[in-house]
């Protein structure tokens, strides 16, 4: 009987990279893509109402769970492995089924690189994994000037998740086809226009976390989160961070300052992430406590 595996993973390039790695190495993998607003409910439902022990192994990658869900996993009789690289999830290392590593001697980790190292893989897959890692950690920009890594993320959002996964499970070649390159060139022109428009629309507010007041730029956008956040932070150096509000689901935070930890700010609103890139779910309570209050809070 063919072994069957389960993967719960995040919805961004790094999470989707985990799906590509798992399918390439393990073969028969049932993949579900989750975000922070539904990861705990879905895994709880899976443990309670389905048959986790029917899988050879179950992986959670590039996303973490809360304490209640962790307790359920601990009691489960299935073979679980959680692999994450966000500093806000390091508390999970108390469990023998969790491995949260933010960086190693070679640089910052990503969910995709952690899974690749956990499962093992060939050099061709490793080249893909490194591009994903560089993009997710922003090393493509800060260290390597690796625009191929950035274009990999652009291609994902152009063609969509399913086509992207199918393409790289079929062919791991990182040299884009002529058609793919044309799409990427058109996308670059579009992004440049959006950045110029959003920079004109930016509003400023403040957010207070742990007694510290942060100056924040706020824009509304349903896409291009990382690029908008980082470029607008450079265009507006007086601001501590940029908040990108997707009205339908989330708030993403970005900073380029070493003394600002947006992961801790996001944690204050029920989210998490990295020191320079983080986010949280947008719901009615957040609209009141974040979107409304940041524009009305008096500056100290």
């Amino acid at each position: 009987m063919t072994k069957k595996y389960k993967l719960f993973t995040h919805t961004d390039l790094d999470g989707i990279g985990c799906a590509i790695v798992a399918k390439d190495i393990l073969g028969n993998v049932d993949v579900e893509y989750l975000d922070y607003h539904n990861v705990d409910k879905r895994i709880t439902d899976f443990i309670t109402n389905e048959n986790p022990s029917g899988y050879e192994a179950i992986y959670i990658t590039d996303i973490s769970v809360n304490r209640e869900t962790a307790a359920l996993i601990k009691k489960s009789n299935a073979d679980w492995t959680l692999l994450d690289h966000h500093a806000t999830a390091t508390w999970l290392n108390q469990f023998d089924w969790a491995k949260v590593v933010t960086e190693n001697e070679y640089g910052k980790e990503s969910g995709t690189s952690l899974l690749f190292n956990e499962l093992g893989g060939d050099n061709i897959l490793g080249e893909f994994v490194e591009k994903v890692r560089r993009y997710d950690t922003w090393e493509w920009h800060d260290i390597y000037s690796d625009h191929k890594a950035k274009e990999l993320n652009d291609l994902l959002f152009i063609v969509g998740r399913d086509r992207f996964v199918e393409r790289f499970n079929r062919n791991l070649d990182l040299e884009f086809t002529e058609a793919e390159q044309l799409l990427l060139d058109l996308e670059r022109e579009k992004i440049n226009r959006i950045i110029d428009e959003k920079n004109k629309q930016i509003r400023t507010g403040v957010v207070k976390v742990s007694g510290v007041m942060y100056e924040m730029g706020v824009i509304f956008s349903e896409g291009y989160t990382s690029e908008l956040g980082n470029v607008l932070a450079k265009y507006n150096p007086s601001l501590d961070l940029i908040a990108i509000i997707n009205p339908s689901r989330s708030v993403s935070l970005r900073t380029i300052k070493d003394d600002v930890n947006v992961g801790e700010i996001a944690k204050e609103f029920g989210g998490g992430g990295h020191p320079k890139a983080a986010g949280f779910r947008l719901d009615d309570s957040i609209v009141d406590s974040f979107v409304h209050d940041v524009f009305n809070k008096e500056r100290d």
Side-chain angles (χ1 to χ4, degrees), residues 13 30 40 49 61 164 184 218:
L13 174 65
D30 178 16
D40 292 296
N49 300 318
T61 55
F164 186 86
L184 288 166
V218 182

Side-chain angles (χ1 to χ4, degrees), residues 134-197:
R134 289 184 182 184
Y135 180 78
D136 193 67
T137 61
W138 214 248
E139 286 184 8
W140 78 268
H141 180 274
D142 296 339
I143 298 176
Y144 297 103
S145 297
D146 186 353
H147 291 276
K148 180 74 71 175
K150 196 270 176 194
E151 288 181 329
L152 198 63
N153 186 70
D154 289 344
L155 184 64
L156 166 62
F157 283 93
I158 294 169
V159 304
R161 182 175 66 205
D162 292 343
R163 288 191 180 93
F164 186 86
V165 171
E166 191 278 331
R167 191 281 200 202
F168 284 99
N169 275 142
R170 172 174 42 85
N171 177 14
L172 283 166
D173 190 353
L174 291 167
E175 291 302 317
F176 299 124
T177 66
E178 185 175 346
E180 289 170 342
Q181 192 60 58
L182 175 59
L183 290 172
L184 288 166
D185 291 343
L186 293 172
E187 184 73 358
R188 167 48 48 197
E189 294 174 8
K190 178 182 177 182
I191 291 174
N192 288 338
R193 290 195 300 270
I194 291 173
I195 289 172
D196 289 340
E197 291 171 2

Side-chain angles (χ1 to χ4, degrees), residues 21 110 112-113 116 125-134:
V21 167
S110 71
T112 303
S113 62
F116 176 78
L125 179 60
E127 292 175 10
F128 169 83
V129 169
E130 176 62 8
K131 295 297 183 187
V132 173
R133 188 198 69 81
R134 289 184 182 184

Side-chain angles (χ1 to χ4, degrees), residues 211-228:
V212 179
M213 194 80 77
Y214 298 96
E215 294 280 345
M216 177 173 59
V218 182
I219 60 167
F220 292 84
S221 179
E222 294 185 352
Y224 309 106
T225 299
S226 291
E227 187 136 13
L228 278 170

Side-chain angles (χ1 to χ4, degrees), residues 36 56 116 176 214 239 297:
Y36 283 97
E56 184 74 14
F116 176 78
F176 299 124
Y214 298 96
L239 298 174
K297 192 183 294 293

Side-chain angles (χ1 to χ4, degrees), residues 192 195-196 199 229-239 256:
N192 288 338
I195 289 172
D196 289 340
N199 193 45
N230 283 274
V231 174
L232 293 179
K234 289 183 178 180
Y235 284 179
N236 300 273
S238 64
L239 298 174
I256 58 172

Side-chain angles (χ1 to χ4, degrees), residues 6-277:
K6 182 75 176 181
L7 173 68
F8 296 102
T9 192
H10 199 198
T11 57
D12 64 357
L13 174 65
D14 192 23
I16 293 166
C18 292
I20 291 169
V21 167
K23 286 175 176 289
D24 187 84
I25 297 175
L26 300 175
N28 185 17
V29 184
D30 178 16
V31 180
E32 289 191 45
Y33 299 96
L34 301 174
D35 219 325
Y36 283 97
H37 72 277
N38 64 355
V39 58
D40 292 296
K41 182 180 185 304
R42 175 61 192 119
I43 292 177
T44 297
D45 288 345
F46 176 73
I47 294 172
T48 305
N49 300 318
E50 299 179 36
N51 182 27
S53 60
Y55 292 92
E56 184 74 14
I58 304 165
Y59 295 90
I60 303 171
T61 55
D62 194 40
I63 196 167
S64 60
V65 297
N66 65 22
R67 294 184 185 278
E68 291 77 11
T69 308
L72 286 176
I73 292 173
K74 183 179 179 180
K75 294 177 182 177
S76 171
N77 60 358
D79 180 9
W80 291 82
T81 300
L82 182 145
L83 301 167
D84 196 9
H85 64 117
H86 298 99
T88 50
T90 53
W91 65 271
L92 282 162
N93 283 327
Q94 66 185 283
F95 300 103
D96 58 9
W97 46 263
K99 183 186 295 184
V100 181
V101 183
T102 59
E103 59 184 300
N104 60 32
E105 64 270 29
Y106 303 109
K108 297 176 182 178
E109 288 279 15
S110 71
T112 303
S113 62
L114 286 170
L115 184 62
F116 176 78
N117 292 334
E118 181 77 9
L119 300 178
D122 59 30
N123 291 336
I124 296 176
L125 179 60
E127 292 175 10
F128 169 83
V129 169
E130 176 62 8
K131 295 297 183 187
V132 173
R133 188 198 69 81
R134 289 184 182 184
Y135 180 78
D136 193 67
T137 61
W138 214 248
E139 286 184 8
W140 78 268
H141 180 274
D142 296 339
I143 298 176
Y144 297 103
S145 297
D146 186 353
H147 291 276
K148 180 74 71 175
K150 196 270 176 194
E151 288 181 329
L152 198 63
N153 186 70
D154 289 344
L155 184 64
L156 166 62
F157 283 93
I158 294 169
V159 304
R161 182 175 66 205
D162 292 343
R163 288 191 180 93
F164 186 86
V165 171
E166 191 278 331
R167 191 281 200 202
F168 284 99
N169 275 142
R170 172 174 42 85
N171 177 14
L172 283 166
D173 190 353
L174 291 167
E175 291 302 317
F176 299 124
T177 66
E178 185 175 346
E180 289 170 342
Q181 192 60 58
L182 175 59
L183 290 172
L184 288 166
D185 291 343
L186 293 172
E187 184 73 358
R188 167 48 48 197
E189 294 174 8
K190 178 182 177 182
I191 291 174
N192 288 338
R193 290 195 300 270
I194 291 173
I195 289 172
D196 289 340
E197 291 171 2
K198 296 300 179 182
N199 193 45
K200 295 174 184 176
Q201 297 169 6
I202 196 168
R203 297 183 63 186
T204 58
V206 294
V207 60
K208 190 174 184 179
V209 175
S210 300
V212 179
M213 194 80 77
Y214 298 96
E215 294 280 345
M216 177 173 59
V218 182
I219 60 167
F220 292 84
S221 179
E222 294 185 352
Y224 309 106
T225 299
S226 291
E227 187 136 13
L228 278 170
N230 283 274
V231 174
L232 293 179
K234 289 183 178 180
Y235 284 179
N236 300 273
S238 64
L239 298 174
D240 294 313
L241 67 144
I242 302 294
I244 304 101
I245 300 174
N246 182 335
S248 66
R249 65 188 181 96
S250 64
V251 178
S252 297
L253 307 178
R254 297 292 185 273
T255 187
I256 58 172
K257 295 190 174 182
D258 293 334
D259 59 346
V260 178
N261 187 334
V262 295
E264 291 302 317
I265 296 173
K267 192 174 180 180
E268 187 80 6
F269 298 96
H274 301 289
K276 294 188 177 182

